[in-house]
Amino acid sequence: MAASYAKDIRPLFRDGDIDCMKAGGVLLDDFAWMSVAENAQHVLHAVSSGKMPPDAPWPKDRVALLQQWIDAGRPA
């Protein structure tokens, strides 16, 4: 079964991550924003490169889950 934004992706982002990124126009808690392919790829690049979150890189399984969601067409 494909990952969904509401059940699988949104919970990956902590409130602090959301607040920090919102200042730069990155709306991690907004499905409409995250469902845009370019935006989702931007977030994927940030977490896979270790640029985000600032305190510690995501484990590979979290990055893989975000990639799976993007590959599945970014379902709600």
Side-chain angles (χ1 to χ4, degrees):
M1 190 157 136
S4 75
Y5 175 78
K7 183 173 77 70
D8 302 298
I9 302 306
R10 170 54 187 89
L12 297 175
F13 302 109
R14 302 168 297 187
D15 290 343
D17 300 333
I18 291 166
D19 291 343
C20 179
M21 297 304 291
K22 196 171 282 191
V26 177
L27 308 178
L28 300 172
D29 62 342
D30 182 346
F31 171 72
W33 189 89
M34 284 290 291
S35 68
V36 174
E38 182 179 328
N39 296 342
Q41 286 294 334
H42 173 74
V43 173
L44 177 64
H45 176 71
V47 298
S48 64
S49 69
K51 180 179 175 184
M52 184 182 97
D55 58 348
W58 271 12
K60 290 183 191 290
D61 62 327
R62 280 186 171 203
V63 175
L65 181 59
L66 182 58
Q67 180 70 65
Q68 176 190 24
W69 176 73
I70 291 169
D71 290 347
R74 302 168 310 280

